[in-house]
């Protein structure tokens, strides 16, 4: 193999020119190698050539990477190492070296990060909605009125306040029923009947209080939210205790099927567990929950600030967009069909924003704040429902949302018909147009 003082890496396909200064010992070593037999010398030459090609290719990649970053190593920096390196782009360098897919192809689209597209969508979304906000303010002016959210009635709604303060009586009643059942003072059918009465009263009592009082909108919605949460928690409390009582009875009778279930068969009615369950951000009753070590106070403050901001955004959208569209719309059964469709489509975008803000405020911010204050460990309050990688998953999500929408609309229709009936039965109670 020919050894020279200068090795031109371009002959191997590199993009650099490397000059190596050889000492006397290196020349003697090369002369000893030249005196070897031809076969051995040729094999060693091939190995050394491969090693040299690998080294030159590595130095080429490093040089190209440094050159792309706009850096250049001077000759003076490498004299100490005995190397002089110069960088240059060569047309002979191969640009295509392996099989690769396009970034947006079906095989590679889910293997890459789309942060740039996401940031672009955010920029476009902010720009478009900023124009719509300016256009809305120029057309309607500032429409937000405090009377819709807060009024003098909000502070004087003492019947609703008293109703909210008396809601803990229903969990206390359920605890007493379970305590009597634990002492075998009540049979299972009687326990079930009492729980049905307690849960039904817990949801109907606030409804009648709201309808009988001239309350503000926010006060009524807040009370009904608390009432629904209490009702759902009482249902879970009754079901879980019933199952635990059945497992405990099976274990006492020596039933083998109860021991095969991977649950705790101990049946203990604890008032402390009930109190923590009623304030914890969960609707599933357990005797114990995973807990965190401490409370992050700074994190809680930041989440509170976000909660206030997004609640304000939600109120702004309702007052500035949804209410004017509804007030300026005709009755859907009296106007043109195309006009009704146009109104619905115009309401779809602000309704979507309100729904997303409500989801983020309640299911993320508020539940995480409550979980942090109570050191509640399991904070998977929702899953990534927005991700659908296949058509089947998209169809399943669409069906789930459709069924949920049907049930929600049915409940709202039932509440509306109940409101109409109560208004016909008690006309003097609904003289104030601002009442709920």
């Amino acid at each position: 193999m020919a050894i020279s003082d200068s090795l031109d890496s371009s002959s191997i396909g590199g993009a650099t020119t490397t000059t190596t200064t050889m000492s006397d010992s290196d020349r003697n070593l090369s002369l000893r190698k030249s005196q070897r037999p031809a076969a051995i010398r040729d094999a060693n030459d091939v190995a050394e050539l491969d090693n040299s090609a690998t080294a030159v290719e590595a130095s080429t990649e490093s040089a190209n990477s440094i050159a792309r970053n706009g850096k250049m190593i001077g000759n003076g920096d490498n004299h100490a190492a005995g190397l002089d390196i110069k960088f240059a782009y060569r047309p002979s360098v191969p640009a295509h070296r392996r099989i690769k897919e396009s970034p947006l192809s079906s095989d590679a689209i889910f293997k890459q990060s789309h942060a740039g597209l996401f940031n672009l969508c955010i920029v476009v979304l902010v720009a478009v909605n900023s124009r719509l906000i300016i256009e809305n303010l120029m057309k309607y002016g500032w429409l937000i009125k405090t009377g819709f959210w807060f009024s003098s009635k909000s502070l004087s709604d003492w019947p609703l306040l008293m109703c909210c303060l008396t809601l803990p009586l229903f969990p206390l009643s359920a605890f007493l029923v379970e305590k009597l059942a634990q002492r075998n003072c009540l049979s299972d059918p009687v326990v079930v009947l009492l729980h049905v009465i307690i849960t039904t009263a817990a949801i109907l009592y606030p409804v009648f209080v709201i309808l009988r009082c001239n309350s503000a909108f926010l006060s009524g919605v807040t009370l009904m939210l608390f009432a629904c949460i209490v009702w759902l928690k009482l249902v879970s409390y009754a079901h879980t205790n019933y199952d635990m009582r059945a497992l405990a009875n099976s274990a006492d009778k020596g039933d083998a099927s109860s021991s095969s279930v991977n649950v705790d068969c101990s049946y203990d009615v604890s008032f402390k567990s009930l109190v923590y369950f009623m304030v914890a951000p969960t609707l599933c009753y357990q005797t114990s929950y995973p807990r965190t070590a401490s409370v992050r106070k700074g994190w809680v403050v930041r989440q509170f600030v976000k909660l206030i901001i997004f609640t304000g955004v939600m109120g702004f959208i309702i007052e500035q967009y949804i209410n004017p569209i509804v007030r300026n719309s005709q009755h859907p059964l009296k106007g043109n069909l195309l006009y009704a469709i146009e109104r619905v489509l115009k309401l779809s975008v602000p309704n979507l924003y309100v729904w997303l803000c409500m989801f983020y405020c309640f299911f993320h911010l508020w539940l995480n704040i409550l979980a942090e204050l109570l050191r509640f460990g399991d904070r998977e309050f929702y899953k990534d429902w927005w991700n659908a990688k296949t058509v089947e998953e998209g169809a399943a999500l669409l069906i789930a949302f459709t069924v949920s929408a049907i049930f929600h609309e049915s409940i709202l229709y039932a509440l509306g018909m109940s409101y109409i009936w109560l208004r016909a039965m008690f006309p003097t109670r609904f003289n104030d147009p601002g009442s709920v």
Side-chain angles (χ1 to χ4, degrees), residues 146-204:
T146 57
F148 181 78
W149 300 95
F150 301 99
S151 64
S152 58
K153 294 181 180 180
S154 301
L155 300 177
S156 61
D157 282 339
W158 63 269
L160 270 65
L161 178 61
M162 294 302 298
C163 179
C164 187
L165 294 178
T166 54
L167 286 179
L169 294 177
F170 298 101
L172 181 61
S173 302
F175 170 75
L176 294 177
V177 170
E178 288 297 330
K179 204 67 177 177
L180 293 175
Q182 185 185 18
R183 297 178 180 179
N184 296 324
C185 298
L186 298 174
S187 61
D188 282 344
V190 176
V191 172
V192 173
L193 178 61
L194 291 176
H195 277 303
V196 170
I197 295 174
I198 292 172
T199 53
T200 305
I203 195 64
L204 292 181

Side-chain angles (χ1 to χ4, degrees), residues 71-92:
K71 297 181 180 179
M72 184 72 70
I73 301 177
N75 295 334
D77 297 334
N78 297 283
H79 278 304
L83 296 175
D84 293 333
I85 300 177
K86 297 180 180 179
F87 303 108
Y89 286 101
R90 299 298 297 269
S92 60

